[in-house]
């Protein structure tokens, strides 16, 4: 099979955000969503003192990334895990802290480009959508077993689908005679249920439903809610957490977690801030950064990206970089 193509979004900006945290001997980045290893490759090439631990739940992605990053030898370690298992991965590798954690959320181009994975609605394929195809329920299982109410919740909350209730009802009626197995049957149903005026705006009419099913099958938001605090806890003083989100619900989780750890608990009218009372982390980005028009034109996936980063300033329990004190 030819190597899938993937252009990492905001690659230069992501590496620039990580570089200050990785400029010392023995620095470690955890690429928590390794995929095909594009971000990791750039970090290994441009941050010569760093090593990278790449985590992915997709065994196929891990194999391809290992091949791609083999020239870096022992500076790269691949781990089969879900990114909320970061504390366990670090413990297994004997790491008390790391200097950076990167998340590039959502589905990878590789997963979209391999028809049998079932992520894409453009070709007829089994309704799988599992990022780790060896475990858990498939998208077909969701469609064939969830109640109309549960399906409505999934489509509304994860796909922001205006016709969630209508689609859910049609799914339940259809599966009584013909259970769902492949994507073509679902796409056909969506064309039937979504009114023509709505089909003509907002992209392919199946886009929102397929996104919602993927997020449900892989429990993406619950995993993210656990993973972001774990990443924040994992970084040493001077370390950074960098997150690329592509969905408003993902970005909201990240924003809330970052605000919580960078907000001062002191009354705003204090004449001075007592030493040691400052927040332990600071926001590195001002709000959410977006891709510019040039990148969006070249890589449509970049259109919805929201990039945020935080840096640890101090910690009573985290080690300080060699030769450096807390900011």
């Amino acid at each position: 099979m030819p190597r899938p193509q993937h252009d990492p979004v905001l690659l230069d900006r992501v590496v620039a955000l990580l570089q200050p945290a990785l400029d010392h001997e023995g620095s470690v980045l955890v690429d928590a969503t390794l995929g095909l290893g594009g971000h990791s490759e750039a970090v290994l090439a441009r941050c010569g003192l760093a090593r990278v631990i790449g985590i992915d739940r997709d065994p196929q992605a891990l194999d391809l990334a290992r091949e791609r990053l083999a020239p870096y030898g022992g500076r790269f370690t691949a781990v089969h895990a879900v990114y909320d298992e970061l504390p366990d991965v670090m413990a297994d590798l004997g790491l008390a802290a790391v200097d950076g954690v990167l998340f590039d959320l959502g589905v990878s181009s590789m997963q979209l480009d391999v028809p049998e994975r079932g992520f894409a609605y453009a070709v007829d394929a089994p309704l799988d959508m599992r990022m780790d195809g060896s475990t858990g329920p498939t998208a077909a299982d969701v469609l064939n077993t969830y109640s109309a109410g549960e399906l409505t919740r999934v489509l509304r909350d994860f796909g922001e689908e205006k016709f969630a209730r209508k689609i859910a009802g049609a799914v339940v009626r259809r599966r009584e005679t013909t259970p769902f197995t492949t994507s073509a049957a679902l796409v056909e149903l969506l064309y039937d249920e979504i009114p023509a005026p709505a089909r003509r705006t907002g992209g392919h009419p199946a886009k929102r439903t397929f996104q919602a099913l993927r997020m449900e099958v892989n429990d993406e938001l619950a995993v993210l809610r656990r993973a972001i605090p774990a990443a924040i806890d994992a970084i040493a003083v001077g370390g950074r957490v960098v997150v690329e989100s592509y969905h408003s619900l993902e970005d909201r989780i990240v924003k809330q977690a970052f605000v919580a750890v960078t907000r001062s608990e002191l009354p705003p009218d204090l004449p001075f801030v007592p030493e040691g009372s400052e927040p332990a982390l600071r926001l590195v980005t001002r709000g959410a950064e977006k891709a510019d028009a040039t990148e969006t034109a070249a890589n449509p996936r970049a259109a919805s990206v929201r990039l945020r980063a935080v840096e640890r300033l101090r910690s009573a329990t985290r080690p300080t970089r060699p030769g450096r004190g807390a900011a």
Side-chain angles (χ1 to χ4, degrees):
M1 183 180 69
R3 179 189 297 275
Q5 297 299 308
H6 174 65
D7 297 320
V9 174
L10 291 175
L11 178 63
D12 291 340
R13 179 56 175 153
V14 166
V15 175
L17 286 169
L18 290 168
Q19 278 178 319
L22 302 175
D23 67 352
H24 63 97
E25 195 71 43
S27 60
V28 178
L29 168 71
V30 175
D31 185 343
T33 52
L34 177 64
L36 295 179
H39 285 108
S40 287
E41 183 178 50
V43 167
L44 289 165
R46 303 180 201 180
C47 304
L49 299 176
R51 68 185 180 103
V52 174
I53 298 163
I55 296 175
D56 209 291
R57 66 170 83 181
D58 187 335
Q60 288 179 287
L62 285 171
D63 288 342
L64 290 167
R66 284 191 188 98
E67 179 184 345
R68 177 179 191 167
L69 301 176
Y72 295 96
R75 291 179 60 206
F76 173 70
T77 303
V79 180
H80 182 217
V82 184
Y83 49 76
D84 66 337
E85 298 173 314
L86 173 62
D88 295 331
V89 171
M90 290 174 57
D92 290 344
L93 296 173
L95 294 168
V98 296
D99 299 282
V101 184
L102 169 64
F103 297 89
D104 182 15
L105 302 172
V107 66
S108 74
S109 298
M110 183 206 71
Q111 291 161 337
L112 289 172
D113 292 343
V114 179
E116 57 266 27
R117 302 297 297 273
F119 287 96
Y121 41 77
V123 295
D124 190 21
L127 280 165
D128 192 318
M129 300 194 194
R130 293 173 297 174
M131 292 181 180
D132 181 349
S134 66
T135 184
T138 66
D141 293 329
V142 171
L143 289 168
N144 292 325
T145 63
Y146 278 29
S147 69
E150 290 171 322
L151 286 171
T152 299
R153 172 190 59 80
V154 169
L155 298 177
R156 182 188 62 232
D157 292 355
F158 298 161
E160 299 175 296
E161 174 56 72
K162 292 188 296 183
F163 302 99
R165 186 180 300 277
K166 189 172 187 287
I167 293 168
V171 166
V172 171
R173 289 192 300 274
R174 184 192 184 280
R175 76 189 189 196
E176 290 175 356
T177 55
T178 311
F180 288 89
T181 57
T182 66
S183 54
L186 178 58
V187 172
E188 180 183 0
L189 179 145
L190 293 169
Y191 269 100
D192 289 342
E193 297 302 321
I194 297 175
R199 293 201 305 268
R200 289 193 286 267
T201 61
H204 196 287
K207 177 181 178 180
R208 293 178 295 276
T209 291
F210 273 64
Q211 172 183 277
L213 289 171
R214 186 204 83 217
M215 295 178 75
E216 175 68 11
V217 165
N218 297 289
D219 201 20
E220 292 179 35
L221 294 185
V223 170
L224 185 62
R225 288 190 185 97
R226 296 188 292 269
I228 296 299
I232 291 169
D233 288 346
I235 53 173
V237 171
R240 292 183 171 187
V241 178
V242 178
V243 186
E244 291 182 283
S245 306
Y246 300 86
H247 187 285
S248 60
L249 295 177
E250 292 173 340
D251 184 54
R252 190 178 308 157
I253 291 169
V254 176
K255 177 183 178 180
Q256 290 173 346
F258 283 5
V259 167
V261 296
T262 58
R263 181 177 52 214
S264 174
E265 300 298 330
L266 297 173
D269 56 351
L270 278 184
F272 68 94
V273 177
E275 184 177 356
S277 300
E278 307 90 345
L281 291 97
R282 73 175 182 94
L283 293 170
V284 181
T285 52
R286 293 178 61 85
E289 296 185 5
K290 303 177 183 180
D292 62 24
T294 300
E295 180 167 1
T296 298
N299 183 4
R301 182 170 182 256
S304 58
V305 72
R306 299 293 182 269
L307 174 66
R308 298 181 187 270
V310 291
E311 178 182 31
R312 180 171 293 282
L313 301 175
R314 63 178 181 83
S315 172
T317 58
R318 293 293 172 193
T320 302
R321 291 179 182 174
R324 297 195 182 193

